[in-house]
Amino acid sequence: MARENSSKSGRAAKRRPPAAEAARIEAIFARLAASNPEPKGELYYTNPFTLLVAVVLSAQATDAGVNKATPALFAVADTPEKMVALGEDRVREAIKTIGLFRTKAKNVVALSQLLIERHGGEVPQDRDALTALPGVGRKTANVVLNIAFHQPTIAVDTHIFRVSNRLPLAKGTTPEAVEKGLEAVVPEKYLLHAHHWLILHGRYICKARKPECGRCILYELCRFKEKTA
């Protein structure tokens, strides 16, 4: 308990930007929350295990592409035991439309086996335990912890990295630096959903090549020098 309280107090101590900047950040998330009070991820899944598999498969692939392949796979293998029984060859065949499908099939079966051996077939609610699984990096672990277990993590993908540096919220040259910066400045009440709001904003509004600033609800709060009219 002492450790938990220490962690919270440390995080609170870091979250003290200048008053004007804190007000701008508060306004940004207030608008995002008002426009989408209960944001959801776009990957198809049925339980924490299938979510983990879906996020592993989504690396360097689109959610839409993954969603085309996974319903049939999860219909026959929605637990680690069933995935191991299905085997790498059949998993590979099921996900062959997804980029890097050979490596991903190998990782999915291997992580399923380790879930059985180390965690009784359950998805662990711990980042270190998750990242010890094949094909699971920090971003994947954060997505699973956030969506499946409602932990206030921020998984920095290309969309969040872009939006955070553009607005800006937290500038950084690496995903982990942006993650830590966001954790330090996002108001506590918005941390749980911040991940989804920023991803969706980057995917549909603050696009990489041509941001749609004309319909952005954050337009006057954004300091991006190359805003479109």
Side-chain angles (χ1 to χ4, degrees), residues 42 52-53 85 94 155 189-190:
E42 296 184 326
L52 173 61
V53 172
K189 63 184 176 181
Y190 298 122

Side-chain angles (χ1 to χ4, degrees), residues 19-163:
E21 180 63 5
R24 187 181 73 94
I25 292 172
E26 169 75 29
I28 285 172
F29 283 99
R31 291 189 186 188
L32 292 172
S35 69
N36 189 1
E38 295 292 333
K40 304 294 182 183
E42 296 184 326
L43 284 172
Y44 170 76
Y45 69 97
T46 60
N47 57 34
F49 171 68
T50 55
L51 173 64
L52 173 61
V53 172
V55 181
V56 168
L57 295 180
S58 71
Q60 300 182 52
T62 65
D63 287 3
V66 173
N67 287 344
K68 290 179 181 179
T70 51
L73 173 64
F74 295 156
V76 295
D78 61 353
T79 68
E81 293 80 4
K82 291 178 182 178
M83 195 67 75
V84 170
L86 193 62
E88 187 178 329
D89 288 346
R90 292 173 66 187
V91 173
R92 185 168 56 243
E93 180 64 22
I95 65 169
K96 64 184 179 182
T97 58
I98 301 173
L100 306 175
F101 68 94
R102 292 181 178 85
T103 299
K104 290 178 180 178
K106 181 178 181 179
N107 285 338
V108 165
V109 174
L111 73 82
S112 299
Q113 184 63 49
L114 287 180
L115 287 176
I116 296 168
E117 294 174 2
R118 298 178 182 177
H119 306 287
E122 299 294 326
V123 177
Q125 300 184 36
D126 175 79
R127 183 187 287 122
D128 289 340
L130 285 168
T131 55
L133 300 172
V136 180
R138 185 180 182 89
K139 182 181 75 172
T140 296
N142 281 348
V143 172
V144 173
L145 293 174
N146 182 272
I147 297 177
F149 304 118
H150 310 293
Q151 295 186 24
T153 57
I154 298 178
V156 179
D157 68 349
T158 56
H159 298 301
I160 292 183
F161 187 83
R162 178 174 65 255
V163 171

Side-chain angles (χ1 to χ4, degrees), residues 4-15 184:
E4 181 181 350
N5 289 338
S6 174
S7 174
K8 287 183 178 180
S9 63
R11 187 169 62 185
K14 291 188 294 183
R15 189 178 293 115

